[in-house]
Amino acid sequence: MTTMGTALIYDEEMTKYKLLWVDPACKIEVPERLTASYEALVRNGLADRCVSVPVREATDAEILRVHSVEYLEAVKKTPYMTLEDLKEFTLQYGDVYFHPNIYHCAKLAAGSALQLVDSVMTGKVRNGIALVRPPGHHSMQSAANGFCVFNNVAIAAHYAKQKYGVKRVLIVDWDIHHGQGVQYCFEDDSSVLYFSWHRYEHQKFWPNLRESDCDSVGKGSGTGFNINVPWNKVGMKNSDYLSVFFHVLLPAAYEFCPDLVLVCAGFDSAIGDPEGEMCATPDIFAHLTHLLRNLAGGKLCAVLEGGYNLTSLAQSVCQTVQTLLGDPLPQLGNLSGPCESALESLQCVRSVHRQYWSCFKHAADPPSFDISTKRAKLAEKEEERTEIVEKEACVEEMVWPEPPKRVSPPVRAALLLPSHVACPERCQRINASALDPLTVSKVKESFLKHGEEHVALQTFSGLITLLEKMENNEICSGLALVSDVTTAMMFVVHHVAAAFRKRLLVVCVGKGKVPSHLTEDGNLLVVQISSEHTDEQTSKYYVPVCLKKGCSDTAGFLQVVFGLLLPLAYEHNPSLVLLVRTAESGVCDGMWQQLTGMLQSFAQGHTLVLVQEDDKACVIPTASTLLGDPAPPLEHFEASLSEDLEAVERLRQRLQADWKLLQMTAPESGGTAEC
Ligand code: Q9C
Ligand code: ZN
């Protein structure tokens, strides 16, 4: 069995330092950031569900992997400084403050990240979060910066490599500031892939560095292993964040194939934050976390960075932790597609990285406008300051609904299996024979209507039971091993349309007839991935994808999942997912588990999986992912056939007019993107 559990690292000691003088730049970094986050976890019953791991101080040797002796020795003196000395010491750095107790806290913050790495790497827990102060990602070899003293995550990455022989570390920095300290630390290192998105505004936003732009891709053998996504406008929304995950981070991350994922988990990228001024809601972090959950076999360590609106911060932390614990995801409605400015960034990043990553090989050219011209143009508009001040005032009054409670159904996975197939542990077997007369008559009605007499009445009734239990939230997901998967799929689609009128997503892996004729009302979206060529379709709701090598082509399959399936699914926002694996689909267990895992982003985890009876070997791996176990990492895979990638790309281009989350290039006009 895979390791369970989520580590939570928190110690009140890290609330015991604060700003002792007046400094408008630093007044937002307060001890309450930690207490508000922790108390929200306690209040929502989440702290109790985590494994509490104690903090420790990072040792000098550990800190010195990232920082210089001179810097460490200088920081070591701060506990003995007078207020005046502290103020003066602080002056040599940017946007940071010192306090007699901050050195102690900084050692605990870095040590917390190391304790988290230990807990995850030894298998004590599956994943975890460290709530720490001071944050880390701005601090550099010989400088404190941006509220950061030691670079907690950079120290943790070195530690994981040294102590556990981890070969590849992915660092995802979703804080709204550029973690330049992390970038500098691993710039020439191909064993650490650093991804950061950040408010940039063409270098107008702190820390105003040229090297935060997307053309900083790393150096020497680390070239290509630094991915920067600048946000050139404020007000970015859930769609913008998701688009960057689908079209930039996830393809590169899967190609990189990390052994460990570290998250610079700053929540100043959420709505209401005075620094970020973005509009993504706290529940987006549930999805961002989930989308990273199947990398590195689920080994994910999140370490707190920024987050300055206490309400937004606490909600975002809860959403992250609840996903680490494996609870069903909240549904994200109203995804509008990325704004023009986000598309420009997306296009820039993909085009500069196309020479380093095969997943971006077919990325479009950079946007036609000249970026440097744009930068100069922006410098002219310096007087727009007053407007910015007004915007800030607006942000402070910003309100958003509290994310709804995420309830876990009592049963996570229910299985409908022929009597000769054993039910895997932790799953509930659905007994299809005990049916009330009403249900029986319903089954018969459908049974007669479609004349599918070769499929047992028992199977139909069992499927209805699964659907009803999902509808009533008694079970989260279901798996049915059936003798005729195509008929079972048709039956479920008809039944769902008639009985529940839900928005349904059907994902069919492998050849065979699919209910493509039922998509007129817009409630049903069908995506089929197979080696079978289908005539070019015109319906926006029927998406047949053909891969020459079929579903065994891992690179092609991932391209389809990130480039098409996930964006379509998020935009469709189904209330039920039907995942169908036809006979001889050719999909390998690993890819199948990845897919099953990723589809749990939707419909609050309500997925019904249909598998052909001869495929019973996949029951155990499928059940495992339905139960929330992370999928095993996909081993090194070959680049896909060029013609396949081009075909997928043509399909994406054809569909992007109808499905905005498929877009990855800005409209030709360029120049004055508005959000
Ligand atoms: N308007 C982190 O989020 N600039 N650090 C403050 C005040 C410094 C952010 C300017 C922001 C530092 C970890
Ligand atoms: Zn930040």
Side-chain angles (χ1 to χ4, degrees):
M1 201 173 93
T2 33
T3 314
M4 303 280 283
T6 293
L8 173 58
I9 305 190
Y10 170 76
D11 196 298
E12 224 184 68
E13 180 64 15
M14 287 181 281
T15 67
K16 296 193 172 140
Y17 77 91
K18 60 176 190 192
L19 178 63
L20 295 175
W21 51 84
V22 177
D23 180 352
C26 293
K27 67 168 199 284
I28 56 177
E29 205 294 295
V30 294
E32 291 75 20
R33 298 179 51 240
L34 235 46
T35 47
S37 303
Y38 185 71
E39 279 161 18
L41 289 175
V42 172
R43 203 168 48 242
N44 290 292
L46 298 171
D48 265 349
R49 295 172 55 198
C50 293
V51 178
S52 168
V53 171
V55 300
R56 71 163 170 95
E57 291 183 3
T59 65
D60 282 7
E62 288 158 350
I63 294 167
L64 290 171
R65 295 304 308 260
V66 167
H67 299 282
S68 66
V69 186
E70 299 73 33
Y71 175 62
L72 175 58
E73 292 307 315
V75 176
K76 266 187 194 174
K77 299 199 177 95
T78 59
Y80 312 102
M81 289 181 184
T82 63
L83 189 66
E84 287 312 306
D85 289 345
L86 281 171
K87 267 195 213 172
E88 179 154 328
F89 182 74
T90 292
L91 278 179
Q92 59 186 314
Y93 306 118
D95 291 30
V96 66
Y97 63 90
F98 279 82
H99 176 280
N101 198 37
I102 201 171
Y103 169 55
H104 184 221
C105 293
K107 280 189 289 185
L108 292 178
S112 299
L114 303 184
Q115 289 284 79
L116 187 52
V117 167
D118 278 333
S119 307
V120 167
M121 291 310 299
T122 58
K124 184 179 178 204
V125 294
R126 170 186 293 159
N127 55 33
I129 189 167
L131 298 180
V132 301
R133 278 178 78 236
H137 71 154
H138 297 303
S139 77
M140 291 161 275
Q141 187 182 29
S142 299
N145 182 264
F147 316 147
C148 303
V149 176
F150 298 138
N151 202 313
N152 309 320
V153 167
I155 293 170
H158 274 296
Y159 180 80
K161 284 176 57 178
Q162 185 164 38
K163 183 161 178 191
Y164 297 99
V166 164
K167 289 279 169 287
R168 287 175 305 275
V169 182
L170 168 66
I171 300 180
V172 176
D173 189 337
W174 71 43
D175 186 280
I176 206 58
H177 301 95
H178 182 215
Q180 83 280 37
V182 184
Q183 173 170 313
Y184 299 153
C185 193
F186 300 109
E187 228 161 12
D188 56 6
D189 187 342
S190 63
S191 69
V192 178
L193 170 57
Y194 177 61
F195 166 92
S196 174
W197 64 33
H198 35 269
R199 181 171 171 186
Y200 190 58
E201 298 175 288
H202 302 282
Q203 216 180 313
K204 289 275 166 295
F205 190 70
W206 189 91
N208 313 92
L209 302 169
R210 175 65 187 85
E211 61 269 31
S212 304
D213 212 341
C214 51
D215 55 355
S216 288
V217 296
K219 296 182 171 147
S221 57
T223 306
F225 295 89
N226 191 88
I227 304 182
N228 283 335
V229 181
W231 298 121
N232 289 316
K233 299 267 176 188
V234 296
M236 293 296 164
K237 299 190 171 85
N238 292 350
S239 297
D240 303 299
Y241 287 10
L242 285 175
S243 290
V244 167
F245 263 54
F246 301 150
H247 303 307
V248 177
L249 175 60
L250 293 172
Y254 272 79
E255 190 169 331
F256 181 65
C257 196
D259 306 307
L260 176 66
V261 178
L262 303 179
V263 180
C264 287
F267 298 99
D268 40 16
S269 42
I271 191 163
D273 192 277
E275 274 289 302
E277 297 188 51
M278 297 301 175
C279 294
T281 50
D283 48 4
I284 196 65
F285 295 102
H287 289 264
L288 302 186
T289 306
H290 182 79
L291 290 167
L292 299 175
R293 230 176 85 90
N294 290 307
L295 286 159
K299 293 194 291 297
L300 186 153
C301 301
V303 181
L304 183 67
E305 298 282 357
Y308 307 100
N309 175 312
L310 300 183
T311 311
S312 176
L313 169 64
Q315 289 176 1
S316 302
V317 166
C318 287
Q319 291 294 322
T320 303
V321 170
Q322 211 168 347
T323 304
L324 291 176
L325 285 164
D327 284 357
L329 290 255
Q331 267 180 278
L332 289 178
N334 309 320
L335 293 172
S336 51
C339 69
E340 215 175 299
S341 173
L343 283 170
E344 283 175 10
S345 301
L346 211 57
Q347 191 176 349
C348 281
V349 186
R350 287 174 50 91
S351 65
V352 298
H353 277 280
R354 65 186 170 186
Q355 52 181 316
Y356 311 115
W357 299 93
S358 54
C359 54
F360 301 139
K361 205 153 64 195
H362 295 85
D365 293 328
S368 54
F369 62 84
D370 183 338
I371 299 202
S372 50
T373 313
K374 188 154 184 173
R375 210 178 267 121
K377 233 191 264 169
L378 254 120
E380 285 166 29
K381 297 201 259 175
E382 202 56 48
E383 313 109 72
E384 283 180 30
R385 286 266 152 228
T386 44
E387 208 182 294
I388 290 163
V389 170
E390 276 166 35
K391 227 186 247 158
E392 262 170 32
C394 156
V395 163
E396 283 174 17
E397 291 159 29
M398 194 158 246
V399 285
W400 62 95
E402 192 179 333
K405 290 265 169 298
R406 291 160 62 177
V407 279
S408 249
V411 174
R412 187 62 190 259
L415 271 52
L416 177 67
L417 301 167
S419 53
H420 63 276
V421 177
C423 185
E425 53 181 328
R426 297 181 290 153
C427 297
Q428 187 183 73
R429 184 192 277 271
I430 290 295
N431 195 340
S433 54
L435 274 180
D436 59 280
L438 178 70
T439 312
V440 172
S441 74
K442 265 201 251 170
V443 174
K444 282 200 167 145
E445 202 180 297
S446 311
F447 187 73
L448 292 173
K449 195 154 65 192
H450 305 294
E452 308 284 11
E453 286 164 52
H454 56 289
V455 177
L457 173 75
Q458 276 214 340
T459 303
F460 284 149
S461 62
L463 291 171
I464 290 184
T465 309
L466 283 172
L467 290 168
E468 280 174 350
K469 282 177 182 279
M470 277 197 261
E471 177 73 12
N472 301 333
N473 229 22
E474 291 168 47
I475 64 172
C476 190
S477 52
L479 166 60
L481 200 58
V482 298
S483 61
D484 179 348
V485 82
T486 304
T487 307
M489 162 169 54
M490 294 300 175
F491 173 77
V492 170
V493 170
H494 276 107
H495 184 78
V496 167
F500 307 116
R501 310 192 166 281
K502 283 165 161 284
R503 260 193 325 282
L504 181 61
L505 166 66
V506 173
V507 179
C508 181
V509 178
K511 297 186 217 181
K513 185 169 139 29
V514 291
S516 55
H517 57 293
L518 292 166
T519 56
E520 293 97 58
D521 64 356
N523 280 330
L524 173 62
L525 168 64
V526 180
V527 179
Q528 181 171 29
I529 311 169
S530 75
S531 57
E532 205 161 49
H533 181 79
T534 333
D535 293 329
E536 294 281 302
Q537 295 293 320
T538 46
S539 167
K540 109 177 227 204
Y541 294 102
Y542 172 49
V543 182
V545 189
C546 170
L547 294 174
K548 275 268 157 54
K549 291 190 277 176
C551 301
S552 60
D553 170 7
T554 303
F557 204 96
L558 287 173
Q559 183 100 357
V560 173
V561 169
F562 300 133
L564 286 170
L565 179 58
L566 289 181
L568 289 171
Y570 268 98
E571 202 162 334
H572 186 57
N573 190 23
S575 38
L576 178 67
V577 176
L578 181 61
L579 173 59
V580 182
R581 167 166 164 154
T582 67
E584 287 146 48
S585 66
V587 68
C588 66
D589 275 352
M591 192 60 242
W592 173 253
Q593 285 185 292
Q594 289 286 343
L595 178 63
T596 314
M598 272 181 283
L599 289 173
Q600 286 175 62
S601 296
F602 310 106
Q604 299 176 297
H606 291 313
T607 303
L608 175 56
V609 185
L610 301 180
V611 175
Q612 188 76 29
E613 220 170 83
D614 348 291
D615 242 351
K616 62 170 176 282
C618 82
V619 167
I620 289 177
T622 308
S624 159
T625 36
L626 291 179
L627 287 165
D629 300 340
L634 293 168
E635 296 304 317
H636 180 80
F637 49 86
E638 271 172 54
S640 198
L641 290 177
S642 249
E643 52 176 309
D644 274 355
L645 297 187
E646 280 156 23
V648 172
E649 177 55 18
R650 275 199 307 278
L651 189 56
R652 191 196 61 75
Q653 284 185 14
R654 179 168 69 70
L655 290 162
Q656 67 180 346
D658 289 317
W659 300 95
K660 301 294 178 202
L661 282 177
L662 294 176
Q663 297 178 348
M664 36 176 95
T665 53
E668 269 313 313
S669 63
T672 48
E674 287 306 329
C675 257

